[in-house]
Amino acid sequence: MNTDLLQRGKAIKLAVFDVDGVLTDGRLYFLEDGSEFKTFNTLDGQGIKMLMAAGVQTAIISGRKTPVVERRAKNLGIPHLYQGREDKLVVLDELLGQLNLSYEQVAYLGDDLPDLPVIRRVGLGMAVANAAAFVREHAHGITTARGGEGAAREFCELILRAQGHLEAANAAYL
């Protein structure tokens, strides 16, 4: 495990996720009636729940707006959901003001250019394995898993490991 990533992970109080390409595989599915659906990975959902149980706050910031994401956030208990917001750094600034946190206390997982300003600014900015090349070049780290295929779980476990909570989180299920 990269010691720089673990060092950065120690200070994290808020983990923020993009949706399309991070919590999903990035594909957009539209039905004939115009509605859409997305598929989410249960491993990612469990990782997010483990983070929250360890005291790390969570948020979603997505450029797209869809009821499916609202439902998923509610199902997981993610308290901070921002959809239809293209300027993610502006959203993060608002959230940091509400939570009284600094950029160094934030971890962000993204995959494409709208995520890049946040990835470059936060304490732990990561990209999924199949992120755009330019985004991967500027991230602190890259997951081995692809978006929608366990990348968020890997990201969550890195933070838990850095803070000494991963073994306890796993042992809770023994």
Side-chain angles (χ1 to χ4, degrees), residues 21-166:
V22 173
L23 295 179
T24 74
D25 64 7
R27 297 180 200 175
L28 301 176
Y29 300 91
F30 294 97
L31 301 176
E32 286 193 30
D33 66 4
S35 63
E36 66 179 277
F37 71 92
K38 300 176 184 295
T39 59
F40 297 93
N41 189 304
T42 58
L43 292 174
D44 292 342
Q46 183 61 39
I48 291 168
K49 287 180 180 181
M50 291 163 58
L51 260 189
M52 291 187 295
V56 176
Q57 297 192 63
T58 57
I60 289 174
I61 303 175
S62 179
R64 294 179 45 80
K65 184 174 174 71
T66 174
V68 175
V69 173
E70 186 174 343
R71 195 171 313 125
R72 181 66 171 157
K74 185 176 180 179
N75 177 263
L76 293 175
I78 297 173
H80 308 286
L81 173 62
Y82 300 88
Q83 294 195 85
R85 302 287 300 268
E86 292 292 329
D87 191 340
K88 295 179 179 190
L89 198 53
V90 169
V91 176
L92 182 59
D93 284 340
E94 293 170 13
L95 184 56
L96 292 181
Q98 289 174 23
L99 300 177
N100 197 29
L101 295 174
S102 67
Y103 285 115
E104 293 75 28
Q105 295 172 300
V106 178
Y108 186 89
L109 184 61
D111 73 316
D112 209 348
L113 294 174
D115 302 309
L116 193 54
V118 177
I119 287 172
R120 292 178 48 122
R121 185 70 177 93
V122 299
L124 177 60
M126 292 190 62
V128 297
N130 57 322
F134 193 68
V135 174
R136 291 193 317 267
E137 288 173 23
H138 287 82
H140 296 122
I142 303 165
T143 63
T144 57
R146 298 169 57 87
E149 297 177 6
R153 175 62 169 268
E154 186 179 331
F155 173 76
C156 293
E157 287 188 356
L158 183 146
I159 296 166
L160 289 166
R161 183 177 289 111
Q163 297 183 4
H165 297 302
L166 184 59

